[in-house]
Amino acid sequence: MDIKMSIKRKSQLFLGLHLLLTIAILGFAVLHGIRKEQQKQVEDYLEQQTKTANVFIRQALLDRAGRPETEGEAALGNDLARQLGLMSGMHTMLFGMDAEKTGDSMPSPDSPDVKELLPYAIRGKTAYEINGSRLVYLAPLSDGLKQIGAVGFQYSVEMNQSFYSSIQRLFVLVGALILAVSFAAGTLYYNRLSGGILKLRRSTQEIRQGRYDRAELLKTGDELGELSENIYQMGREIRRNFATLETKQLQLEKTVQRLTRLEKQQKEFIGAISHEFKTPLTVIRAYLDLLDLYKDDAELAAQAKTSLVKETARLQEMVDTILRLAALDLYEFQDHEEIIGLQSFLGELTNRMHGKARKFGLHIHAEIPDVYVRGDREHLTIIFVNLLDNAIKFNQPGGEIRLTGCLDSGKVKIRVSDTGIGIPEERRAAIFEPFSTAHKALYRELGGTGLGLALVRQLLDKQGGTIELLSGSPGAVFEVTLEAAEAVETADAPAKEPDGA
């Protein structure tokens, strides 16, 4: 059976039984009260008539005692009964102590049967019974000193019965009307109540099925409305919690993916760096062996010293770069973003690189528009120092380095170009991979590690930027693209010199 019908039927059945029982108890109590009141009124009236009859009989006996007896007992009894009948307006009967009738106000064959009541009246008690619409009442009769018989009245209760019946019919009619109206009104109320319960049921089903924002609100202003509000808020809170959990789950999945990627990169990195470490270590070991064999060779010692210093510096640079890469893997979880004005930022960087450029007979030209980006100042410093340092290392004597920028569709593009030896076509695709170099021999001669451009691309990925190697003639052209940002009214802090390029 449908729960909705079940609730309605239960409420209707309860309401109907409740109203029916209430009206029945109320009707019974009222009708019982009316019957008791009628009975009391009749008893009081007949008791009063009995007292009047006793007074009348005593008076009649006193009057007869002073006059000679002129008529028989039967005639006297009937005469007294008729007079009492005229006084009371009821059929009146007189009885002696021997239970024989001594007088009757209306003698007829249809006289009531009093055989069952008369013994009570003879013993000094009052008794009555109702047959149809007639009430027969018998009470003791005395002369003031002792009981001399009994008096009986026949009273019509037809009017009382008619009144009781009309009241009973009125109660049935009014009760039925009240029952119908109350049942209709109660049904409307219970339907509204059960409708609210069903809405709450639907709301809990929606929440159970994961549709947390579809819970219905009941504006009833009572406990049901409060319960509805609590269920609604509970659904919203569960939805928010699930959204938070989903966000955290996505973050956790990204972290796991990143850790998996890092693990793979670390394995590749360890393999590559082990190979890179072998070369300088082999050179160092070779010179140490030669020095051990030719202890007195001054030329060999000078040559070994130069090579050992060079290879040691190379190892030191590789170690510093590796430590920096390891630190940046942790640094990724921190937030150091700020709005940076590229004109002043890159201007300071180029000023600091001018000394090294002049050492090699090079010139740096910077033409940066007044544009802003959002990024990490430390990362951007490492990025552009590495690019400028490479442009200096692999340039031609008397060459130049150009740093230019422009704003294009919400992107800031900065180009670092040089007039150096360039990058061979076959090495261009792998130039941003760790330990990938365009000219291995030249890299070793100049002390490079092959990690600089890999580090640049990794840092730009974290900034949401890109780097691209463009065709240059002569030399190489690298284009860095970053998201443009709105300027803020804060002065840029001076650029920080990295530990190493």
Side-chain angles (χ1 to χ4, degrees):
M1 181 182 294
D2 186 74
I3 187 67
K4 181 178 180 180
M5 297 302 296
S6 175
I7 290 174
K8 280 189 174 182
R9 288 182 179 177
K10 285 180 180 179
S11 61
Q12 288 173 348
L13 179 62
F14 170 77
L15 178 63
L17 290 176
H18 177 71
L19 290 172
L20 190 62
L21 183 62
T22 301
I23 293 172
I25 292 174
L26 180 63
F28 174 79
V30 172
L31 291 174
H32 181 72
I34 291 174
R35 185 182 293 276
K36 293 292 289 183
E37 184 62 26
Q38 286 181 336
Q39 181 180 353
K40 184 175 181 303
Q41 288 178 356
V42 170
E43 288 177 351
D44 290 346
Y45 175 72
L46 292 174
E47 183 180 357
Q48 184 62 40
Q49 294 301 320
T50 300
K51 291 178 180 179
T52 302
N54 272 279
V55 172
F56 178 77
I57 292 298
R58 283 197 297 271
Q59 186 64 42
L61 291 176
L62 290 174
D63 291 344
R64 184 167 179 262
R67 296 199 303 267
E69 192 172 321
T70 59
E71 53 185 338
E73 292 291 336
L76 178 61
N78 287 330
D79 183 55
L80 291 173
R82 278 194 297 273
Q83 291 185 53
L84 287 173
L86 290 173
M87 292 170 60
S88 64
M90 295 180 290
H91 181 192
T92 306
M93 297 166 287
L94 298 175
F95 299 91
M97 291 300 291
D98 55 0
E100 293 294 332
K101 185 186 291 186
T102 58
D104 193 337
S105 64
M106 292 184 297
S108 72
D110 195 25
S111 293
D113 185 5
V114 296
K115 287 188 293 184
E116 295 183 3
L117 300 176
L118 192 55
Y120 292 97
I122 296 302
R123 292 198 298 270
K125 297 180 180 180
T126 299
Y128 66 87
E129 69 176 1
I130 299 174
N131 289 318
S133 61
R134 295 189 302 175
L135 183 147
V136 179
Y137 182 91
L138 268 68
L141 194 63
S142 67
D143 59 359
L145 299 175
K146 65 182 185 300
Q147 182 177 347
I148 60 174
V151 61
F153 299 103
Q154 183 175 288
Y155 180 78
S156 175
V157 293
E158 183 177 0
M159 184 177 294
N160 289 350
Q161 291 176 340
S162 176
F163 176 76
Y164 183 84
S165 297
S166 64
I167 293 297
Q168 193 176 39
R169 287 193 299 270
L170 182 62
F171 257 99
V172 171
L173 180 62
V174 172
L177 182 62
I178 293 174
L179 179 64
V181 173
S182 300
F183 186 78
T187 299
L188 290 176
Y189 172 76
Y190 278 113
N191 284 348
R192 180 172 173 270
L193 184 64
S194 60
I197 295 173
L198 290 171
K199 284 185 179 180
L200 293 178
R201 174 178 173 265
R202 286 195 296 270
S203 295
T204 56
Q205 287 177 337
E206 294 288 351
I207 292 174
R208 187 179 64 183
Q209 294 172 4
R211 296 186 286 270
Y212 307 110
D213 56 347
R214 296 183 62 180
E216 300 181 62
L217 270 176
L218 299 179
K219 298 181 179 179
T220 57
D222 53 16
E223 290 83 356
L224 201 60
E226 185 178 350
L227 177 60
S228 171
E229 174 69 21
N230 290 339
I231 292 176
Y232 178 77
Q233 294 299 335
M234 179 182 68
R236 290 171 63 88
E237 189 64 28
I238 291 174
R239 184 186 64 179
R240 283 194 294 270
N241 290 340
F242 266 106
T244 303
L245 289 175
E246 288 174 356
T247 302
K248 290 184 177 179
Q249 183 180 2
L250 289 175
Q251 293 174 349
L252 183 60
E253 289 175 355
K254 289 180 180 178
T255 303
V256 171
Q257 291 174 0
R258 175 183 171 278
L259 292 175
T260 303
R261 186 176 67 252
L262 284 176
E263 183 182 8
K264 181 180 178 183
Q265 289 175 351
Q266 284 175 350
K267 290 179 180 178
E268 295 174 352
F269 181 78
I270 290 171
I273 201 168
S274 299
H275 176 74
E276 290 296 323
F277 272 126
K278 268 186 177 182
T279 302
L281 289 173
T282 300
V283 173
I284 293 171
R285 182 62 183 268
Y287 273 108
L288 290 175
D289 289 341
L290 287 173
L291 288 173
D292 189 46
L293 291 174
Y294 305 99
K295 295 183 175 64
D296 300 327
D297 192 336
E299 184 179 351
L300 177 63
Q303 184 181 357
K305 180 180 178 182
T306 302
S307 297
L308 289 175
V309 169
K310 183 178 176 181
E311 294 301 327
T312 304
R314 185 177 174 211
L315 282 174
Q316 181 65 48
E317 185 177 359
M318 289 175 67
V319 170
D320 290 342
T321 305
I322 291 166
L323 291 175
R324 189 182 299 119
L325 286 171
L328 288 170
D329 284 338
L330 298 175
Y331 191 64
E332 181 182 9
F333 293 98
Q334 304 174 14
D335 186 10
H336 290 76
E337 281 193 350
E338 57 181 300
I339 303 299
I340 300 172
L342 283 183
Q343 190 177 67
S344 61
F345 173 75
L346 293 178
E348 292 176 4
L349 278 183
T350 54
N351 288 335
R352 287 157 56 187
M353 298 298 290
H354 271 306
K356 188 172 185 178
R358 282 195 298 271
K359 179 181 177 181
F360 291 93
L362 304 174
H363 299 282
I364 301 177
H365 303 282
E367 298 175 8
I368 306 298
D370 189 14
V371 293
Y372 294 82
V373 295
R374 180 185 294 276
D376 188 296
R377 185 177 294 273
E378 174 71 17
H379 286 180
L380 291 177
T381 301
I382 295 172
I383 289 168
F384 287 105
V385 165
N386 268 283
L387 292 174
L388 290 171
D389 189 62
N390 284 343
I392 292 171
K393 282 181 181 179
F394 305 108
N395 216 319
Q396 301 284 1
E400 65 176 20
I401 301 159
R402 299 190 66 83
L403 196 64
T404 60
C406 67
L407 183 63
D408 183 15
S409 302
K411 304 282 186 181
V412 176
K413 296 184 176 182
I414 304 99
R415 289 187 179 183
V416 180
S417 57
D418 60 65
T419 57
I421 59 178
I423 298 172
E425 188 66 33
E426 67 273 10
R427 301 296 301 166
R428 296 172 69 88
I431 196 63
F432 295 106
E433 298 298 326
F435 304 105
S436 176
T437 60
H439 308 276
K440 280 189 175 289
L442 187 58
Y443 261 79
R444 288 174 183 168
E445 181 182 345
L446 297 174
T449 63
L451 294 173
L453 290 178
L455 177 61
V456 167
R457 188 175 67 171
Q458 183 180 6
L459 293 178
L460 280 171
D461 286 342
K462 295 172 192 265
Q463 304 285 314
T466 60
I467 185 169
E468 185 179 359
L469 174 60
L470 304 179
S471 297
S473 181
V477 180
F478 290 92
E479 183 177 77
V480 174
T481 303
L482 295 167
E483 290 284 343
E486 295 291 333
V488 294
E489 296 180 359
T490 57
D492 286 324
K496 181 180 177 182
E497 178 73 31
D499 295 335

